[in-house]
Amino acid sequence: MTVTKDIIYVGVNDHDIDLFEGQYNVPLGMAYNSYVILDDKIAVMDTVDLDFVDEWLGNIKNTLGDRKPDYLVVQHMEPDHSASIDVFLKEYPETIVVASLQAFKMLGNFFRELDLKDKQLVVGNGAQLELGSHVLNFVAAPMVHWPEVMVTYDSKDKVLFSADGFGKFGANDVEDPEGWDCEARRYYFGIVGKYGAQVQALLKKAAGLDIAVIAPLHGPVLTEDIGYYIGKYDIWSSYRAEDKGVTIAYASVYGHTRKAAELLAEKLKAKGVEHVELTDLARDDEPEAIESAFRYDRLILASVTYNADIFPVMRNFIEDLCERNYQNRTVGFIENGSWAPLSAKLMRAKFEGLKNIAFLDTTVSILSSLSAENEAQMDKMVDELISK
Ligand code: FEO
């Protein structure tokens, strides 16, 4: 695939993967992108997962024919992009590896036997590498997603090689019925969500660049309406709600808490709330629930009390939100317990330290099953949610 006349896509699609990064379901597979820049000198941008090294080397060979790459640019050392470095260097031993100082330290730790000798070029923020008519400009992007990360701007073709930034779950040869946003958002909040400040810093640097194409390490190459994608990243990384809506996440044992969550969803819909996302934390995809919580402006958590604590899947969900700096939202609670419901108080305590969280005045406190009093509490909760 041609990105521009001189930039060729040589990445691969993974349809065998069970869990990305050992935890994320990727029903549409995954893509590990890599690119070749053809000029007087040739640069290869990143490698791919080791399981696909032969296919990737074949793609490079088909692109280069008898020519040899001069540079291998390593933007990110996570093994989904770096694991094939040593195999590549066996095939092309004269290639100079270009990376940040920290990436070279990681490279030594991942590849204990690899000795790059004089075949390495350390580049820092602002460094340039001339390939001929193409000039690569390196921009440090620490913690987007690891500390060694840099992104690369080709000023001739106006291409931003964005590393994990602007990536998406899903193989590139599978059409995503939901378009780009959903799986890109689930990917963003799952993987980079904790580092909003660092993404904001990168966006500020990128604002000074004239970008025609974004070439990430996962997902499709973005060639149109670049402002749309940058706008989404600006919203996500500044922790602003993207849409008005209510996420209701529940943890139920015998179905009474689920019933309460479902009833709340019905009541909200009946009042005209357009986006109501109901999620069973024990059975539905948790990263989808995280994505939903960050997408919308209001969140209701409904949990049974268990071992005098929050039910485990709910505790885990809240911890995942906190770890990703959840903020700027309205949060309310439904608790259940057969003799001493106290999960609402415990859930609320976990949100106390987060920035700009508004708590609903109304809490629904259930003793085993919904009572008439609970229904009245729920109506108050609905009124409060709508007025927010
Ligand atoms: Fe796609 Fe952080 O690796």
Side-chain angles (χ1 to χ4, degrees):
M1 184 187 99
T2 302
V3 177
T4 66
K5 184 170 76 57
D6 300 333
I7 300 177
I8 315 298
Y9 180 87
V10 290
V12 297
N13 291 305
D14 183 352
H15 297 288
D16 302 326
I17 187 169
D18 59 345
L19 293 173
F20 180 70
E21 274 195 359
Q23 60 173 324
Y24 296 101
N25 284 310
V26 281
L28 303 178
M30 201 66 202
Y32 313 114
N33 297 340
S34 169
Y35 307 89
V36 167
I37 307 173
L38 299 168
D39 205 334
D40 298 339
K41 304 270 188 181
I42 292 172
V44 175
M45 303 298 293
D46 294 289
T47 81
V48 298
D49 184 279
L50 191 58
D51 286 346
F52 298 86
V53 66
D54 292 338
E55 182 184 342
W56 172 65
L57 287 174
N59 292 345
I60 292 173
K61 193 138 270 179
N62 287 341
T63 303
L64 298 187
D66 292 334
R67 291 187 73 188
K68 302 265 187 266
D70 297 277
Y71 301 105
L72 172 65
V73 177
V74 176
Q75 299 184 107
H76 182 16
M77 272 305 299
E78 193 166 7
D80 49 336
H81 311 295
S82 70
S84 299
I85 290 175
D86 58 344
V87 183
F88 174 88
L89 290 175
K90 280 192 188 106
E91 187 72 24
Y92 297 112
E94 296 307 312
T95 311
I96 293 173
V97 178
V98 181
S100 65
L101 184 60
Q102 194 153 13
F104 277 114
K105 286 184 188 154
M106 290 182 178
L107 203 149
N109 293 333
F110 275 111
F111 301 101
R112 305 255 173 220
E113 311 297 322
L114 192 63
D115 183 1
L116 291 172
K117 295 197 184 79
D118 55 346
K119 296 277 184 276
Q120 52 184 308
L121 177 62
V122 179
V123 290
N125 185 50
Q128 292 188 321
L129 180 65
E130 276 192 37
L131 303 178
S133 60
H134 292 263
V135 178
L136 301 184
N137 299 268
F138 301 109
V139 179
M143 300 321 296
V144 187
H145 151 227
W146 280 13
E148 85 295 0
V149 171
M150 62 181 190
V151 300
T152 306
Y153 178 66
D154 172 6
S155 45
K156 182 179 182 216
D157 287 350
K158 301 183 171 49
V159 176
L160 178 68
F161 296 94
S162 58
D164 273 342
F166 301 95
K168 175 185 173 297
F169 291 134
N172 287 336
D173 57 355
V174 177
E175 195 176 328
D176 188 334
E178 295 179 306
W180 184 83
D181 295 20
C182 279
E183 284 294 72
R185 191 189 296 108
R186 189 168 72 96
Y187 168 90
Y188 174 83
F189 283 109
I191 288 168
V192 200
K194 178 179 172 69
Y195 301 109
Q198 289 84 349
V199 174
Q200 279 284 308
L202 178 60
L203 290 178
K204 283 198 177 74
K205 290 179 188 172
L209 304 173
D210 180 9
I211 300 168
V213 175
I214 296 178
L217 289 178
H218 301 289
V221 174
L222 307 171
T223 55
E224 284 171 9
D225 208 0
I226 296 301
Y228 175 83
Y229 302 104
I230 290 180
K232 289 290 179 196
Y233 258 59
D234 185 36
I235 292 170
W236 298 343
S237 59
S238 55
Y239 300 99
R240 305 198 306 274
E242 190 178 343
D243 290 307
K244 287 187 88 59
V246 183
T247 301
I248 305 170
Y250 65 87
S252 185
V253 176
Y254 293 107
H256 295 288
T257 308
R258 169 170 50 79
K259 226 176 190 174
E262 287 170 351
L263 183 61
L264 179 68
E266 277 169 32
K267 285 176 182 289
L268 286 166
K269 283 180 193 159
K271 291 270 186 175
V273 178
E274 191 186 343
H275 295 295
V276 180
E277 293 281 339
L278 189 65
T279 178
D280 177 350
L281 292 175
R283 291 170 183 81
D284 297 334
D285 184 72
E286 196 250 8
E288 287 265 7
I290 295 283
E291 180 207 334
S292 179
F294 277 103
R295 177 176 179 181
Y296 296 117
D297 57 339
R298 289 155 287 173
L299 173 66
I300 297 294
L301 300 177
S303 178
V304 293
T305 307
Y306 189 82
N307 283 337
D309 203 338
I310 306 163
F311 197 68
V313 289
M314 177 63 81
R315 192 169 56 223
N316 184 58
F317 178 61
I318 296 172
E319 282 168 4
D320 279 348
L321 289 175
C322 294
E323 196 178 292
R324 287 160 178 76
N325 294 317
Y326 191 73
Q327 54 189 275
N328 302 327
R329 304 291 194 279
T330 297
V331 182
F333 304 99
I334 298 173
E335 65 180 0
N336 195 351
S338 290
W339 59 95
L342 43 78
S343 50
K345 184 176 150 212
L346 296 171
M347 288 191 283
R348 179 177 171 137
K350 290 196 176 288
F351 285 85
E352 296 281 2
L354 303 183
K355 270 193 230 164
N356 197 21
I357 296 290
F359 294 106
L360 295 186
D361 293 333
T362 311
T363 292
V364 178
S365 186
I366 302 166
L367 274 166
S368 296
S369 70
L370 276 172
S371 64
E373 191 192 341
N374 291 146
E375 294 224 20
Q377 288 170 333
M378 208 173 276
D379 287 334
K380 269 181 79 182
M381 179 175 261
V382 167
D383 289 344
E384 255 197 272
L385 279 167
I386 286 171
S387 71
K388 292 286 177 189

